[in-house]
Amino acid sequence: MSNEQLEQLRSELDDVNLKLLALINQRAGLVQKIGSVKRESGVNRFDPVRERKMLDHIAEHNEGPFETSTLQHLFKQIFKAGLELQEDDNSKALLVSRKKQQNNTIVDLGGELIGDGQQRLIMGPCAVESYEQVTAVAKAMKERGLKLLRGGAFKPRTSPYDFQGLGLEGLQILKRVAEEQDMVVISEIVSPSDIETAVEYIDVIQIGARNMQNFELLKAAGSVNKPVLLKRGLSATIEEFIHAAEYIVSKGNSQIMLCERGIRTYEKATRNTLDISAVPILKQETHLPVLVDVTHSTGRRDLLLPTAKAALAIGADAVMAEVHPDPAVALSDSAQQMDIPTFHSFIDQLKESGLYK
Ligand code: PEP
Ligand code: MN
């Protein structure tokens, strides 16, 4: 074969490549159109019956030189890329996504702006037990210039025989302490029917890990004008977490903070495994502020400081930890809450590290 013939064949190959390119993209355009029709009619994107028919059709028309199995493999890759394209379109449309909104969402908690670049601390007892207990923690926090007080009035406990929280009385205590000590209060709500009452008492609705996929609760929280602190589910993927936030935003409430609180793994040294890389991933994928709960992720008092440093270093907008005047007698999470002197040294050491201003 002469050099000229070789050049001629190469040029034909280039032309075929360009035709294939155009055809593959033409196919992708059709796949996108089919995807949007399916989305509107609520039909599943992946249709294995249809895929099988297409593969059979290709086999029937194959005249070689490729083996049918080779061609089916190539087409399967094209089908897969088409499916991913439809999925991409879907995530583009998510209201919480960075693609939808470039700027960071800043959530205003009574003048404390979460997501404005200043990293903050959210602290308080696991459960509201008494007016005196909450006041003691609030006073210590106030001394250190902290305003964001958390405390559970409705406690979603693993066992029904464990302390379930003071309920409405707990919310009343939080409101009273917030007024007296000039605090902003965050408390978990576990039932959609409690939201309406709760907004009269608290400044931020917390949705706990066990309720991350309680869709009726998410929708109810999305229907009120109150910031929401949404915690990642015990075994939730980042994608599921983002979709849970989308439930809230889709109802009109965009004041959401995401909270990484550890996920369930095979590791037993900590109560959960703190997925620290979730912080930058969530910040890349969404425009929402991201918090790290060091208490429930570790379940260990000795790990609160190092994990808080890690959270600040990786860019969390706030760190959350539990403080109790006397953890030994706490009605919940007594193993991991800090007492007040430990709380002070926690703040001192964070400041000394230069990570917390
Ligand atoms: C809490 O923050 O009080 C709590 C119960 O945490 P989680 O929902 O993450 O377990
Ligand atoms: Mn707790």
Side-chain angles (χ1 to χ4, degrees):
M1 190 186 288
S2 70
N3 268 352
E4 272 147 54
Q5 279 173 313
L6 187 63
E7 277 315 304
Q8 173 61 27
L9 289 172
R10 281 182 171 156
S11 139
E12 278 178 39
L13 200 60
D14 283 341
D15 286 348
V16 171
N17 281 345
L18 291 182
K19 280 183 193 151
L20 274 176
L21 173 68
L23 283 172
I24 285 175
N25 278 325
Q26 187 187 342
R27 187 184 190 284
L30 289 170
V31 165
Q32 279 177 315
K33 279 188 193 151
I34 292 172
S36 69
V37 174
K38 281 185 172 176
R39 211 169 10 257
E40 275 160 29
S41 48
V43 177
N44 205 338
R45 285 190 301 269
F46 179 58
D47 181 352
V49 177
R50 166 83 183 130
E51 218 171 75
R52 168 48 56 210
K53 273 192 189 153
M54 289 195 291
L55 290 175
D56 289 346
H57 196 228
I58 288 159
E60 273 167 37
H61 289 79
N62 180 25
E63 289 171 1
F66 273 129
E67 294 279 348
T68 294
S69 60
T70 307
L71 278 173
Q72 287 184 328
H73 174 74
L74 289 174
F75 271 90
K76 182 70 197 166
Q77 296 306 308
I78 296 173
F79 297 169
K80 207 167 144 235
L83 205 61
E84 280 166 10
L85 199 63
Q86 292 177 348
E87 276 162 12
D88 256 354
D89 270 4
N90 199 29
S91 72
K92 249 183 231 152
L94 286 190
L95 297 168
V96 295
S97 73
R98 199 49 95 178
K99 285 177 190 148
K100 196 81 180 172
Q101 183 188 310
Q102 279 293 309
N103 299 339
N104 289 334
T105 285
I106 296 175
V107 181
D108 187 346
L109 306 185
E112 300 271 306
L113 304 179
I114 306 292
D116 67 346
Q118 188 183 328
Q119 295 174 296
R120 292 182 161 79
L121 298 177
I122 299 174
M123 307 194 94
C126 180
V128 173
E129 295 169 8
S130 69
Y131 164 75
E132 292 73 20
Q133 171 234 20
V134 181
T135 302
V137 177
K139 282 188 169 164
M141 287 175 61
K142 204 170 171 183
E143 249 181 74
R144 305 310 297 253
L146 304 182
K147 265 186 93 164
L148 305 172
L149 175 68
R150 57 142 284 142
F154 297 93
K155 296 303 296 178
R157 305 303 299 281
T158 301
S159 164
Y161 307 115
D162 286 340
F163 177 58
Q164 303 286 309
L166 296 179
L168 182 61
E169 190 194 341
L171 297 183
Q172 287 162 344
I173 292 173
L174 283 170
K175 188 176 165 83
R176 184 173 161 204
V177 176
E179 282 167 2
E180 290 174 359
Q181 308 297 334
D182 188 26
M183 292 274 151
V184 173
V185 291
I186 302 164
S187 198
E188 176 163 357
I189 300 303
V190 295
S191 160
S193 58
D194 287 333
I195 296 242
E196 227 178 277
T197 315
V199 295
E200 291 171 29
Y201 295 92
I202 61 179
D203 303 295
V204 181
I205 299 166
Q206 178 172 317
I207 295 185
R210 287 155 196 80
N211 274 315
M212 190 207 81
Q213 284 191 319
N214 180 338
F215 299 116
E216 293 312 313
L217 184 61
L218 297 174
K219 287 189 226 167
S223 309
V224 290
N225 183 23
K226 271 282 171 200
V228 178
L229 191 163
L230 177 65
K231 301 190 83 173
R232 182 175 180 180
L234 306 175
S235 304
T237 63
I238 289 175
E239 192 185 4
E240 287 163 341
F241 191 17
I242 291 174
H243 278 85
E246 184 75 7
Y247 261 91
I248 302 171
V249 184
S250 69
K251 286 287 167 189
N253 186 356
S254 56
Q255 310 163 75
I256 302 172
M257 295 163 284
L258 301 174
C259 181
E260 162 58 36
R261 48 80 68 208
I263 48 173
R264 190 160 275 185
T265 68
Y266 51 81
E267 183 50 66
K268 292 191 294 189
T270 46
R271 177 162 150 179
N272 290 288
T273 297
L274 174 58
D275 181 9
I276 198 76
S277 58
V279 177
I281 296 173
L282 289 167
K283 290 184 80 71
Q284 279 165 29
E285 301 273 319
T286 80
H287 48 79
L288 301 173
V290 181
L291 283 41
V292 171
D293 172 349
V294 290
T295 300
H296 298 97
S297 49
T298 65
R300 283 175 52 163
R301 207 175 282 128
D302 60 332
L303 296 182
L304 300 177
L305 182 65
T307 48
K309 285 182 185 170
L312 292 169
I314 211 164
D317 295 291
V319 170
M320 184 170 180
E322 290 180 349
V323 183
H324 190 287
D326 188 357
V329 298
L331 293 173
S332 55
D333 282 350
S334 78
Q336 55 258 29
Q337 301 198 60
M338 285 181 259
D339 62 14
I340 298 202
T342 311
F343 157 79
H344 283 297
S345 83
F346 175 83
I347 308 260
D348 290 339
Q349 291 179 73
L350 280 185
K351 288 198 171 188
E352 277 163 28
S353 74
L355 288 161
Y356 177 67
K357 312 264 171 333

